[in-house]
Amino acid sequence: MQNIPHVPVLYTQVLETFSDIKEGIIIDCTMGYGGHSSMILEANPHVKVIGIDQDQSAIDFSTSRLEPYKDRVEIKKGRFSCVIKDILKEHDKREIKGILADIGVSSLQLDQKERGFSFSSENLDMRMDKDAPLSAATVINEYSNKELQRILLEYGELRNYKKIASFIVDNRPFSSAKELSEAIKHLMPTGKKIHPATLLMQAIRIEVNDELGELNSLLDTIEEARFSNTKIAIISFHSLEDRIVKNRFSKWRENCICPKEAMRCTCSNDYSYGKILTKKPLTAEDEELRANSRSRSAKLRVFETDIQLER
């Protein structure tokens, strides 16, 4: 029997979000170990799931894990920002009733130390797709001081980004995540319940995998598709991602798209894409927090589209 390594974050909240979907397709943009997909398939017996992942290890694992549901599962390899466009070419968008995205590094990738995501990893990789050309080693050992400053400020929101960038440049090359996180520890923020190098590693990982670009591209595709009665559920793990989702959902909710400085409304005032179902993001409850520390920073926001499609 396959060893199931973990329970996905916010699983009860995700199941509740999609509980009223009786048929159609739910797209799991970040399939990982297949945890959310398997639970959705079990709870919604007439729903089909299309799972996406760029990591072949995840594809192999989930293909086996989801074997009992093989008649209702389709698995695609690639970046979700691209693959979802292919799905829309293959399926009538009326069939798409739910879209789930669990943004960021997966438990599968964190658990495999050779992937370089862990602070104790003996290498410096961080690629979600092992065939991708850009790795953390390239970023740390080859980026200019100015380029390092950019990612440390934009993706790590580190106040002393200039000092950290200079330290990296002056002391490289670094060969492992462990070596880097230990060397830089004295320059990192203290007093939080996280590893001192967390924000540094976050910034590098986002750069390597273009995570914010992927998220924005996914939201652009959803916006352009103009789905009808589709639930969009996005789990984020840090403020940069959550801010993007929150702002985009707020935009989708608005009827009027006139500039704020306009004296009066000159648009048709009917541009709303739907409604926000989560006034505040859903977070892990005490029981889940005790069982899975990784759920501590997870936030789930849900939007439901509500437009009329011509038939």
Side-chain angles (χ1 to χ4, degrees):
M1 180 178 290
Q2 190 181 28
N3 180 31
I4 305 301
H6 85 309
V7 176
V9 298
L10 304 182
Y11 61 95
T12 55
Q13 293 87 338
V14 168
L15 289 179
E16 178 61 28
T17 294
F18 296 128
S19 62
D20 60 346
I21 298 179
K22 304 304 179 185
E23 58 183 2
I25 296 170
I26 295 176
I27 301 174
D28 185 350
C29 294
T30 46
M31 185 175 57
Y33 277 130
H36 285 124
S37 288
S38 63
M39 291 181 171
I40 290 170
L41 287 161
E42 182 176 356
N44 306 62
H46 302 293
V47 162
K48 177 180 178 180
V49 167
I50 300 179
I52 305 170
D53 211 289
Q54 59 182 310
D55 190 329
Q56 188 59 48
S57 297
I59 298 288
D60 295 341
F61 188 97
S62 292
T63 298
S64 177
R65 180 175 187 175
L66 300 177
E67 175 67 18
Y69 310 101
K70 61 183 179 181
D71 294 337
R72 295 191 287 127
V73 176
E74 184 177 350
I75 297 175
K76 294 180 175 289
K77 185 177 188 295
R79 289 178 174 265
F80 55 72
S81 64
C82 297
V83 175
I84 195 169
K85 295 177 182 178
D86 295 333
I87 293 171
L88 288 172
K89 294 175 183 176
E90 299 166 1
H91 296 273
D92 188 324
K93 64 183 178 183
R94 296 185 187 90
E95 296 180 78
I96 312 299
K97 299 302 180 184
I99 297 174
L100 171 66
D102 183 351
I103 305 300
V105 64
S106 72
S107 292
L108 181 150
Q109 292 153 347
L110 284 171
D111 291 340
Q112 296 177 341
K113 287 189 177 182
E114 69 273 13
R115 301 295 296 273
F117 290 96
S118 169
F119 300 114
S120 57
S121 293
E122 296 295 343
N123 60 6
L124 200 52
D125 194 327
M126 297 191 189
R127 291 174 296 174
M128 294 179 180
D129 178 354
K130 290 189 284 188
D131 296 325
L134 182 63
S135 71
T138 302
V139 172
I140 290 299
N141 294 322
E142 298 182 22
Y143 269 30
S144 68
N145 192 306
K146 187 174 181 180
E147 289 175 312
L148 287 172
Q149 287 183 32
R150 172 184 62 81
I151 69 169
L152 294 173
L153 176 60
E154 292 183 12
Y155 302 154
E157 299 183 299
L158 289 158
R159 294 182 180 180
N160 58 338
Y161 64 97
K162 292 183 179 180
K163 185 178 292 187
I164 296 170
S166 294
F167 178 87
I168 291 172
V169 171
D170 291 342
N171 291 275
R172 63 193 187 186
F174 292 93
S175 61
S176 71
K178 182 179 180 180
E179 179 189 6
L180 175 63
S181 60
E182 287 296 321
I184 208 76
K185 188 184 295 185
H186 68 287
L187 293 175
M188 304 307 293
T190 58
K192 295 183 178 181
K193 295 180 179 180
I194 58 175
H195 191 286
T198 295
L199 296 179
L200 169 66
M201 302 288 273
Q202 170 186 296
I204 301 167
R205 197 194 74 225
I206 290 173
E207 173 71 9
V208 169
N209 298 288
D210 188 26
E211 292 177 33
L212 301 188
E214 280 286 289
L215 175 56
N216 274 309
S217 183
L218 172 66
L219 294 170
D220 288 344
T221 299
I222 293 172
E223 183 174 328
E224 293 163 6
R226 303 301 288 174
F227 290 107
S228 177
N229 304 119
T230 300
K231 288 185 175 180
I232 317 299
I234 299 182
I235 299 172
S236 62
F237 287 85
H238 57 74
S239 60
L240 295 173
E241 297 166 343
D242 185 56
R243 194 179 306 139
I244 290 172
V245 177
K246 178 182 178 180
N247 290 342
R248 188 66 69 101
F249 282 6
S250 295
K251 174 190 173 185
W252 289 352
R253 178 182 56 188
E254 298 301 322
N255 276 310
C256 177
I257 60 171
C258 292
K260 292 182 179 179
E261 62 271 16
M263 297 294 290
R264 61 186 179 85
C265 177
T266 56
C267 70
S268 58
N269 199 35
D270 63 352
Y271 279 87
S272 175
Y273 196 9
K275 58 189 175 183
I276 298 172
L277 299 185
T278 48
K279 187 175 181 180
K280 293 183 178 181
L282 304 179
T283 56
E285 298 178 355
D286 290 343
E287 182 178 353
E288 181 176 0
L289 288 170
R290 287 192 294 268
N292 181 10
S293 61
R294 291 176 184 170
S295 67
R296 180 180 61 240
S297 54
K299 294 181 179 180
L300 170 64
R301 293 185 186 271
V302 185
F303 187 93
E304 184 173 31
T305 65
D306 183 21
I307 61 172
Q308 297 301 314
L309 295 177
E310 294 182 4
R311 294 189 176 274

